[in-house]
Amino acid sequence: MVKRRWTGFQAKEAAMELLNQMMRDKPLLPFLIPLGLFAWAVERWLVPFSNWVPLAAAVWATIQYGKFQRGLLVEDMNRRWKQLLLNTTPVTPLEPCEWFNKLLVEVWPNYMEPKLSRTFFSMVEKRLKYRKPKWIEKIELQEFSLGPCPPNLGRNGMQWITSGDQQVMRLGFDWDSNDMSILLLAKLAKPLIGTARIVINSIQIKGDLLLRPILDGQAVLYSFESTPEIRIGVAFGSGGSQTLPATELPGVSTWLVKLFTETIAKIMVEPRRHCYSLPPVDLRKKATGGGLSVTVVSASNLGRNTMKISNSETRQSTTLSSHLSGNLGKKALKTFVEVEVGDLTRRTSVSEGLNPRWDATFNMVLHGETGILKFHLYEWDQSGVRLNYLTSCEMKMKYVADDSTVFWAIGHRSGVVAKQAENCGKEVEMTIPFEEANLGELTVRLIVKEWQFSDGSVSLSNSTNSVAQLSMYSSHNLQMRTGRKLKVTVVEGRSLSTKDKSRKCDPYVKLQYGKAFYRTKNISHTSDPVWKHRFEFDEIGGGEYLKIKCYSADIFGDENIGCARVNLEGISEGSCRDIWVPLEKVNSGELRFQIEVVKNEDNESLKNSGMKQGSGWIELVLVEAKDLVAADIRGTSDPYVRVHYGNIKKRTKVIYKTLVPQWNQTLEFPDNGSPMILHVKDHNAVLPTSSIGHCTVEYEGLPPNQTADKWIPLQGVKSGEIHVRITRKIPDLQKNCNLDTIISPLSKAHKISTQIRDILKKFQGLIEDGDLEGLSLALSEVDSAEDEQEEYMVQLEREKTLLIDKISQLGHEISRTSSAPTKMSY
């Protein structure tokens, strides 16, 4: 029954489609049908037994239906033929794509341009730090806008081509924009002393883009077929008090064109490609770093063809077979692989033969959501004098928004080798050819241990947990206090490297967070030291990272045995993270840290004390200074600021060797109406500090909760100004205080006494090591501890007065109630 209904439905659909087709092909049909019906009626009236009109209509309908079916068949064959050509033809005809450019014009200004501008801002900012010319001492990227004009894609059409066993889309890329705005502020080196603004206002990039779908369409690799043509328009202007005239600086345009060209050629010109993922699910998380386990398994077929061999003098191309024929009689080929991820490098052991096997596993650290793994193959020389570089290969990886990871590398004949790990903990094995043609292959295994995200969560191998984030990437320069403390414990180290033949060292660790410096004690004659030293830092927002440097103490100069950096932003309050951090720029070594975030009780007590008085507190931000006088013979100073506010004294960190320091440090004081005096001093490790100016900050007339931003000239010196921001904080709370909010004096006193004991212990260790720099920093800590002690005494006096007032009020209330007449009970 159901089958009959379905057949009837299909017949009705076919009849309706045929009727619609006939109506389109024969527009007079609506007039002919009534005419035929009239003729048939006349015929039936004249000759009742005649049926020639219905018969003719049936024959005509049959012929039309046959034509309709043949048309459908031809259309279906043409569609299949085009599909076959698309899938089998190595090159398809050029197809116009103006529709795509019109769509791009609509979505570019409000979506793509802001997003791409933010992405390119960070990329260009990092690149400028390492590629500035000699005549520029410092350069800063201040603004980056690509403008409202989008690039033109496929102006002459797009087409599919076949590269090896993969299909590639080729389309032209032509970007000619005259409305972009990239602003650079450059500090010029001698003899061109001063500053200048460099504005890039136009750019032209012309080339051919190649798009390669991989992993069954889950990602697309894109790159330029060859190095594109680049032209840049540059304008110049002045940039401050000491500036050059608005004239063209020599070589700027050439340097910028070279910088852009080399950057593009290095990252996205064939065979190097970028990846754009197309995940089925978007978890909306931004990865900021991760941990990766890399196992170098083996190499194969190293002697198939020519191999490039280099030494300290020349690099020449020769065949591996001839190289081996001269050496096989004396010794076997010994090779090792060096794994490189950024500044982190690790080496395998030495293995013999043309198919060596290492099975060496290393823990590596990623800085950001993408990473490049480079594998360098070296020949081991038994003399140990030199290492012959043979060849290399590289692999790229990227975090995908569905919590998976994509790995891709250059395959044979410039093809693609790509794998995907659906989650952390899944092992991926890849065989990558070396860069030169037919030089052999390298087999590696990769396991992503964790991804760390900007919201503080971490994606681990078994589950996704909301734990503290510890990523290893650079940060912004602006330092803003968050009101929390970081407790960093240097626990231990392992496998530390040294040049000593005994493989032993006397290691110690230096930590820098913002402008605060600390160091551990020396541990003698070991490569696996245990310190268990704890240090406290005021947490800084804006992505500030902890700098780590590990040294081996020596009589003739301490040896650097590795460094690292850890971003501490995003750690939740009360959490503790235990991590092993690999040391960079060395072949081995890891340090173990325990990092904990706690509430800064000092800030809370200071704010609460201000609330108790009903007048709030004063927030002073010491931003920077300029044109300071030189207090040292070398023409610079080591400035810091000491703030005197009534009986309270506080100070900033020292900025070394500069006349334009930037502190960006926030200090808070109870608002009691005392005068605020700033003393700018020059720090000396041995000699007494010298004054380089002072000034008074006026704040009494400020409206509540409004910030005054001002430059104040320094008095007592020839030049110098200091930049401050001051705010009178008035909380929207009742002025009546509450005894429950007063922190325990015993806990505060215990904290101060513990801090002084720790400083004394540190003094003892520094005196034993003879570290003058550490002693200088420890003296600064003593000054801070004294200031804190004075502030605490003032707070105790204030709380004492407050408590006496409360007791007096309570006594009056008791006496009043006791003197009132009592009611008689009947």
Side-chain angles (χ1 to χ4, degrees):
M1 188 69 180
V2 175
K3 186 175 180 181
R4 290 181 181 177
R5 291 181 179 177
W6 176 250
T7 304
F9 177 75
Q10 286 183 325
K12 290 180 180 179
E13 288 291 327
M16 292 298 297
E17 189 174 356
L18 173 62
L19 182 59
N20 293 332
Q21 181 68 27
M22 292 176 63
M23 295 289 288
R24 287 193 299 268
D25 294 343
K26 302 183 181 303
L28 297 177
L29 186 61
F31 303 99
L32 294 177
I33 291 177
L35 184 61
L37 293 176
F38 177 73
W40 184 41
V42 172
E43 180 210 11
R44 295 296 294 175
W45 179 60
L46 296 176
V47 186
F49 300 101
S50 175
N51 293 317
W52 66 269
V53 173
L55 182 61
V59 171
W60 179 79
T62 303
I63 295 173
Q64 295 300 321
Y65 181 73
K67 290 181 179 181
F68 173 69
Q69 288 294 333
R70 284 195 299 272
L72 291 179
L73 182 61
V74 170
E75 184 179 350
D76 184 62
M77 292 294 293
N78 288 335
R79 185 174 61 253
R80 293 188 180 186
W81 178 250
K82 289 181 180 180
Q83 189 71 23
L84 181 63
L85 288 177
L86 180 63
N87 294 332
T88 59
T89 304
V91 179
T92 61
L94 285 172
E95 300 178 7
C97 53
E98 287 301 324
W99 61 270
F100 183 75
N101 289 309
K102 290 183 179 180
L103 177 63
L104 192 61
V105 168
E106 297 296 329
V107 301
W108 175 266
N110 296 323
Y111 174 73
M112 298 189 67
E113 191 276 333
K115 189 174 183 179
L116 292 177
S117 294
R118 289 192 297 267
T119 302
F120 289 145
F121 183 94
S122 59
M123 293 174 59
V124 174
E125 189 176 34
K126 294 178 183 179
R127 192 74 174 163
L128 286 174
K129 292 181 180 179
Y130 306 102
R131 295 304 306 273
K132 61 179 184 288
K134 295 181 180 179
W135 47 267
I136 292 182
E137 180 181 345
K138 183 180 179 182
I139 188 166
E140 179 184 352
L141 180 61
Q142 293 190 329
E143 180 183 342
F144 196 102
S145 175
L146 296 176
C149 180
N152 192 295
L153 300 178
R155 172 173 293 179
N156 298 323
M158 63 174 66
Q159 62 179 166
W160 285 92
I161 61 175
T162 301
S163 177
D165 57 348
Q166 294 180 335
Q167 286 192 336
V168 182
M169 176 186 286
R170 177 199 287 159
L171 69 161
F173 182 92
D174 189 357
W175 191 17
D176 190 357
S177 175
N178 296 318
D179 298 321
M180 68 186 313
S181 176
I182 302 176
L183 177 60
L184 305 172
L185 181 62
K187 181 181 180 182
L188 306 178
K190 295 181 180 180
L192 302 174
I193 299 177
T195 58
R197 286 189 176 93
I198 304 172
V199 181
I200 302 176
N201 51 25
S202 65
I203 189 170
Q204 183 177 1
I205 303 177
K206 188 175 182 180
D208 289 326
L209 275 179
L210 300 181
L211 306 179
R212 303 167 182 262
I214 60 172
L215 300 173
D216 298 329
Q218 297 184 56
V220 176
L221 299 181
Y222 59 94
S223 61
F224 281 101
E225 189 173 17
S226 59
T227 304
E229 300 177 9
I230 298 178
R231 278 182 260 182
I232 294 175
V234 181
F236 300 90
S238 58
S241 57
Q242 295 181 344
T243 60
L244 288 179
T247 56
E248 181 174 355
L249 298 174
V252 172
S253 298
T254 305
W255 163 63
L256 289 173
V257 170
K258 184 178 179 181
L259 178 66
F260 274 75
T261 304
E262 289 183 354
T263 302
I264 292 177
K266 187 176 181 181
I267 62 175
M268 56 177 299
V269 172
E270 283 291 315
R272 290 173 173 81
R273 301 146 185 152
H274 266 228
C275 178
Y276 185 80
S277 56
L278 301 170
V281 178
D282 189 354
L283 300 179
R284 299 186 180 278
K285 288 188 175 183
K286 179 176 177 56
T288 57
L292 178 69
S293 174
V294 181
T295 301
V296 183
V297 181
S298 62
S300 58
N301 304 321
L302 292 183
R304 280 193 301 185
N305 205 335
T306 60
M307 181 170 289
K308 193 177 292 184
I309 299 175
S310 64
N311 53 36
S312 59
E313 298 178 355
T314 61
R315 176 174 294 186
Q316 56 185 354
S317 180
T318 181
T319 61
L320 181 62
S321 57
S322 62
H323 175 69
L324 294 177
S325 62
N327 293 334
L328 279 176
K330 303 177 184 178
K331 60 180 181 179
L333 177 67
K334 296 182 179 181
T335 54
F336 68 90
V337 174
E338 182 181 73
V339 185
E340 177 185 345
V341 180
D343 293 330
L344 184 60
T345 58
R346 291 293 182 266
R347 290 183 180 179
T348 67
S349 58
V350 179
S351 183
E352 296 184 0
L354 299 180
N355 297 288
R357 189 174 186 89
W358 297 281
D359 288 320
T361 302
F362 309 106
N363 292 324
M364 313 299 282
V365 175
L366 300 173
H367 301 171
E369 64 177 4
T370 61
I372 301 178
L373 287 75
K374 297 181 180 180
F375 303 92
H376 307 288
L377 182 66
Y378 290 89
E379 180 187 5
W380 173 259
D381 191 348
Q382 290 184 351
S383 63
V385 178
R386 65 179 186 179
L387 299 175
N388 289 334
Y389 170 79
L390 299 178
T391 184
S392 63
C393 60
E394 71 176 36
M395 175 195 306
K396 295 183 179 181
M397 59 179 295
K398 180 180 180 180
Y399 172 78
V400 185
D402 62 351
D403 213 24
S404 63
T405 306
V406 175
F407 303 88
W408 73 95
I410 303 171
H412 291 289
R413 299 178 182 178
S414 298
V416 179
V417 179
K419 291 288 183 69
Q420 184 176 24
E422 286 76 13
N423 48 53
C424 293
K426 182 177 180 180
E427 183 178 87
V428 172
E429 182 172 317
M430 299 180 67
T431 300
I432 315 167
F434 288 109
E435 286 186 354
E436 289 79 5
N438 300 322
L439 295 185
E441 300 171 331
L442 180 69
T443 301
V444 296
R445 286 197 293 265
L446 306 149
I447 301 176
V448 179
K449 291 187 173 181
E450 66 176 21
W451 281 110
Q452 301 144 356
F453 304 101
S454 57
D455 62 354
S457 62
V458 176
S459 178
L460 300 176
S461 56
N462 296 326
S463 62
T464 302
N465 303 325
S466 294
V467 294
Q469 170 210 9
L470 292 176
S471 60
M472 312 276 180
Y473 64 102
S474 60
S475 66
H476 305 288
N477 295 326
L478 184 62
Q479 299 179 355
M480 300 299 294
R481 305 290 174 177
T482 63
R484 304 190 303 176
K485 278 192 176 293
L486 293 169
K487 295 184 178 181
V488 180
T489 303
V490 186
V491 183
E492 58 181 322
R494 64 186 179 191
S495 305
L496 301 182
S497 64
T498 180
K499 296 179 181 178
D500 192 88
K501 294 182 179 180
S502 64
R503 310 304 297 172
K504 301 293 183 181
C505 56
D506 301 332
Y508 66 92
V509 177
K510 284 187 176 182
L511 303 178
Q512 178 185 356
Y513 183 65
K515 305 303 179 184
F517 294 85
Y518 292 101
R519 62 159 289 175
T520 65
K521 291 183 179 180
N522 297 349
I523 307 297
S524 301
H525 304 295
T526 180
S527 59
D528 300 312
V530 178
W531 291 285
K532 294 184 179 180
H533 287 185
R534 171 175 285 192
F535 306 102
E536 288 189 2
F537 301 92
D538 291 329
E539 187 183 36
I540 300 172
E544 182 67 21
Y545 57 87
L546 175 69
K547 293 180 181 179
I548 304 165
K549 292 185 179 180
C550 190
Y551 294 90
S552 176
D554 194 357
I555 300 176
F556 302 103
D558 296 348
E559 176 190 355
N560 189 342
I561 55 176
C563 61
R565 58 190 181 190
V566 180
N567 193 324
L568 307 176
E569 186 183 24
I571 307 178
S572 58
E573 192 170 300
S575 63
C576 183
R577 184 69 184 268
D578 194 320
I579 58 168
W580 283 92
V581 180
L583 294 176
E584 301 177 355
K585 299 182 180 180
V586 288
N587 296 327
S588 65
E590 293 179 296
L591 296 178
R592 182 185 172 193
F593 292 88
Q594 291 178 349
I595 302 172
E596 182 181 3
V597 177
V598 296
K599 184 181 294 186
N600 193 341
E601 297 179 358
D602 298 341
N603 290 342
E604 292 298 322
S605 62
L606 186 60
K607 292 179 181 179
N608 288 337
S609 64
M611 292 177 189
K612 295 178 185 73
Q613 285 192 345
S615 57
W617 66 95
I618 300 295
E619 181 184 89
L620 175 67
V621 181
L622 296 163
V623 184
E624 57 183 327
K626 65 181 180 181
D627 300 332
L628 298 181
V629 297
D632 299 335
I633 300 177
R634 59 181 180 271
T636 61
S637 297
D638 303 327
Y640 69 94
V641 180
R642 179 177 288 275
V643 184
H644 290 209
Y645 183 78
N647 296 326
I648 302 175
K649 298 178 183 179
K650 291 189 177 184
R651 56 168 290 177
T652 66
K653 301 299 181 182
V654 180
I655 309 297
Y656 293 94
K657 299 180 181 180
T658 181
L659 300 179
V660 285
Q662 293 183 354
W663 295 285
N664 290 308
Q665 190 164 343
T666 302
L667 304 175
E668 294 178 334
F669 307 88
D671 189 359
N672 55 21
S674 300
M676 181 177 292
I677 303 174
L678 309 183
H679 296 271
V680 183
K681 295 181 176 292
D682 175 65
H683 174 77
N684 288 303
V686 180
L687 300 175
T689 59
S690 58
S691 175
I692 52 178
H694 65 274
C695 64
T696 301
V697 182
E698 302 291 343
Y699 65 92
E700 288 83 4
L702 284 178
N705 298 323
Q706 292 190 16
T707 301
D709 192 331
K710 59 179 73 176
W711 282 91
I712 305 176
L714 296 177
Q715 301 176 12
V717 288
K718 295 181 179 179
S719 64
E721 293 180 273
I722 187 168
H723 184 195
V724 300
R725 298 190 188 102
I726 188 166
T727 309
R728 296 185 65 183
K729 298 286 188 178
I730 306 296
D732 295 328
L733 299 175
Q734 296 180 356
K735 294 185 178 181
N736 295 330
C737 58
N738 190 344
L739 286 176
D740 295 336
T741 60
I742 301 177
I743 63 172
S744 172
L746 294 178
S747 63
K748 182 73 173 180
H750 177 72
K751 180 179 179 181
I752 294 178
S753 62
T754 303
Q755 183 178 359
I756 294 177
R757 283 199 301 270
D758 292 341
I759 294 175
L760 292 176
K761 291 179 182 179
K762 186 185 296 185
F763 256 115
Q764 183 179 0
L766 294 173
I767 292 173
E768 292 175 358
D769 299 338
D771 188 355
L772 294 179
E773 180 183 356
L775 287 171
S776 174
L777 295 173
L779 287 173
S780 301
E781 294 179 19
V782 171
D783 292 340
S784 300
E786 290 178 353
D787 295 342
E788 187 175 0
Q789 188 175 13
E790 292 178 5
E791 178 185 340
Y792 177 57
M793 296 300 295
V794 173
Q795 179 183 344
L796 286 180
E797 290 292 336
R798 185 167 55 249
E799 292 177 355
K800 174 184 174 181
T801 304
L802 182 63
L803 187 58
I804 291 175
D805 291 341
K806 281 293 180 183
I807 293 175
S808 177
Q809 292 177 10
L810 185 60
H812 287 307
E813 185 67 22
I814 293 175
S815 61
R816 186 180 64 82
T817 54
S818 61
S819 61
T822 57
K823 295 181 179 180
M824 299 295 293
S825 58
Y826 296 96

